Amino acid sequence: MHSKLLVPFLATLSFVAASPLNIFCQRAPVVGPTCSKEDSSQLSCHNTAPVSNLCCFNSPGGQILLTQFWNARPDIGPKESWTIHGLWPDNCDGGWEEFCDPARYSTDVTAVLNKFGKTETLNYMKTYWRSNNNNDDGLWQHEWNKHGTCMSTYKPTCYTNYQKDQAVADYMDKTVELFKGLDTYQILAAAGILPSDTTTYTLEALQAAVKRTSHGQEAVFNCNKNTKALTEVWYHFNVYGSAQSGKYVPAPVVGSPSNCPKTGIWYYPKNGGGGGSPTTTKTTTTAGPTSTPTGTPGEPFSGRGYLNVDKGGCLISAGTWYTKGTCATYTATPSGSGFTLKSSKGACGIVADEFKCGTGVTSTVFTTSGGKLANVNSTNYYGAGDANDGSQVPVFTTSGSGRTTLTITWQAL
């Protein structure tokens, strides 16, 4: 899906000199392939002719996205900082490849970073690259396995005397470096856009704040479709040279646009923090108008809340177990001696031993035992796999070969 169609980009280059990212990175040791000036002369997605040396030219994933999370309610990461999601190589037409080379998948990023002496990067990641299920290394593995293995300049053949997993360390290092150059919290704060329980913002104001920075281009802002709350931002780049040590040039958005509404966007504060704050500033906040905390995990199932899984992650709207995205909001309604559950997909019930939510599903009356979701007096559920590998895993009430035993608790909103 790599497009060879060229588009005008002189306007993009007009602000290159102003950007701190638009220089060849002078890190020691130099990582990745050694690219000559000629090898690095064409900007990804804007080449004037086919390029054969894909160790010094990102293809087909030449539209590289630095993606960041804002996780509030529940809080993840420092109170006054967004956190890293990943570094993604989208194709020039907005499509993408994923999970490109199972032979290079990582199962322990922490060990890799320690092996290559990247302890400073690792320590930074422990604060600013956080998972929503307390499995940070699992998130790092997922990002490399899904996205990093699809970046042409990270192939082992692009290195001289390649050491196993060297590219994994370089990918993490580069992602952290780019993140440090794009402090979304401060970018928005400089425009008077601060987390609030009482004030909403417009998409135009968010975009204007980003465009006033050295990035100079619009970003993709994503929101929770139910609450209209900010959850993520994607910054687009094209690159001269390799992804490891090349020149990153801010680029216009290609592919999926912002899904936030034009007005009424909530930017909720992290009331409790989630891993330490980069400053000592204390913020006093008030309860939000649409998602007021009324309980904590383990309390009785009532009102609106998340269904958290003890192995990490939560149940999403169809009733499947997932660890890499936003938890679904469920509504628990009293019924007889228990309660029923409903998600945005519809009523939830046990269908042929499987927990499902959707149109046509008949509600099951659930109970609670010891703060855990119970069905016919049992609090054990069973995942048909392990969602920590990035899958959406069906959940059953019966055990079986290869199934993971789970318990499910309630986090009231």
Side-chain angles (χ1 to χ4, degrees):
M1 296 179 68
H2 181 218
S3 173
K4 292 292 193 295
L5 181 65
L6 308 181
V7 295
F9 62 99
L10 292 177
T12 300
L13 298 180
S14 64
F15 57 84
V16 167
S19 173
L21 296 175
N22 295 323
I23 57 173
F24 281 93
C25 304
Q26 301 298 317
R27 292 182 295 166
V30 176
V31 295
T34 300
C35 299
S36 68
K37 183 176 181 181
E38 182 179 0
D39 285 334
S40 306
S41 63
Q42 297 204 72
L43 184 65
S44 63
C45 294
H46 298 282
N47 48 305
T48 56
V51 177
S52 59
N53 182 5
L54 299 187
C55 290
C56 295
F57 182 83
N58 292 275
S59 177
Q63 187 83 5
I64 296 181
L65 281 60
L66 175 70
T67 59
Q68 302 180 15
F69 281 132
W70 179 257
N71 279 315
R73 301 179 180 178
D75 301 348
I76 299 171
K79 289 175 64 175
E80 296 181 11
S81 179
W82 290 54
T83 56
I84 301 170
H85 186 172
L87 191 65
W88 304 348
D90 278 14
N91 297 344
C92 302
D93 60 2
W96 66 89
E97 313 296 329
E98 59 182 36
F99 298 110
C100 294
D101 188 357
R104 290 190 290 138
Y105 286 178
S106 177
T107 58
D108 192 339
V109 173
T110 298
V112 170
L113 292 172
N114 282 324
K115 170 185 174 182
F116 288 96
K118 303 288 187 179
T119 54
E120 182 177 346
T121 295
L122 176 60
N123 289 335
Y124 190 89
M125 289 165 60
K126 289 178 179 178
T127 298
Y128 295 99
W129 198 340
R130 300 289 309 281
S131 164
N132 67 352
N133 66 350
N134 294 319
N135 182 13
D136 295 343
D137 203 283
L139 172 61
W140 306 336
Q141 293 167 36
H142 174 79
E143 293 304 304
W144 164 255
N145 296 344
K146 181 175 181 178
H147 302 291
T149 61
C150 296
M151 301 175 82
S152 64
T153 71
Y154 282 102
K155 291 184 176 179
T157 52
C158 294
Y159 288 75
T160 302
N161 300 321
Y162 181 78
Q163 300 179 56
K164 185 179 184 301
D165 295 324
Q166 185 177 350
V168 180
D170 290 346
Y171 172 84
M172 302 297 159
D173 212 25
K174 188 63 184 183
T175 304
V176 165
E177 179 185 318
L178 290 172
F179 174 77
K180 288 180 177 180
L182 282 166
D183 186 335
T184 302
Y185 188 94
Q186 294 301 328
I187 288 171
L188 297 180
I193 300 173
L194 291 166
S196 173
D197 282 311
T198 58
T199 301
T200 62
Y201 300 99
T202 66
L203 181 58
E204 182 180 12
L206 297 174
Q207 295 289 11
V210 173
K211 291 176 72 174
R212 280 195 292 269
T213 69
S214 58
H215 186 74
Q217 298 283 350
E218 286 192 351
V220 174
F221 284 97
N222 287 326
C223 293
N224 181 299
K225 66 179 181 179
N226 295 319
T227 64
K228 299 182 181 179
L230 271 176
T231 59
E232 197 163 12
V233 63
W234 303 346
Y235 297 94
H236 286 241
F237 294 91
N238 298 134
V239 182
Y240 284 109
S242 73
Q244 296 94 313
S245 57
K247 182 192 297 184
Y248 279 69
V249 178
V253 171
V254 175
S256 301
S258 299
N259 73 359
C260 292
K262 291 183 178 180
T263 61
I265 298 171
W266 290 102
Y267 182 20
Y268 288 126
K270 299 180 185 181
N271 295 318
S277 173
T279 72
T280 57
T281 303
K282 294 184 179 180
T283 304
T284 301
T285 59
T286 58
T290 60
S291 184
T292 305
T294 60
T296 57
E299 290 185 353
F301 292 63
S302 64
R304 299 168 66 249
Y306 300 135
L307 293 175
N308 291 332
V309 176
D310 67 322
K311 296 296 191 297
C314 52
L315 300 191
I316 53 178
S317 57
T320 49
W321 172 33
Y322 194 46
T323 66
K324 305 300 182 182
T326 303
C327 299
T329 299
Y330 284 81
T331 301
T333 304
S335 178
S337 60
F339 53 89
T340 59
L341 293 168
K342 185 178 180 180
S343 76
S344 61
K345 296 286 187 183
C348 302
I350 305 302
V351 181
D353 293 330
E354 182 179 355
F355 184 97
K356 286 187 173 183
C357 304
T359 303
V361 174
T362 300
S363 293
T364 293
V365 177
F366 297 92
T367 57
T368 181
S369 177
K372 300 174 183 178
L373 182 68
N375 176 56
V376 194
N377 299 321
S378 175
T379 59
N380 283 342
Y381 292 82
Y382 304 90
D386 187 351
N388 289 299
D389 65 4
S391 305
Q392 295 182 21
V393 175
V395 174
F396 294 88
T397 58
T398 56
S399 60
S401 177
R403 292 185 179 179
T404 304
T405 303
L406 313 169
T407 59
I408 300 169
T409 55
W410 181 255
Q411 180 173 347
L413 295 175

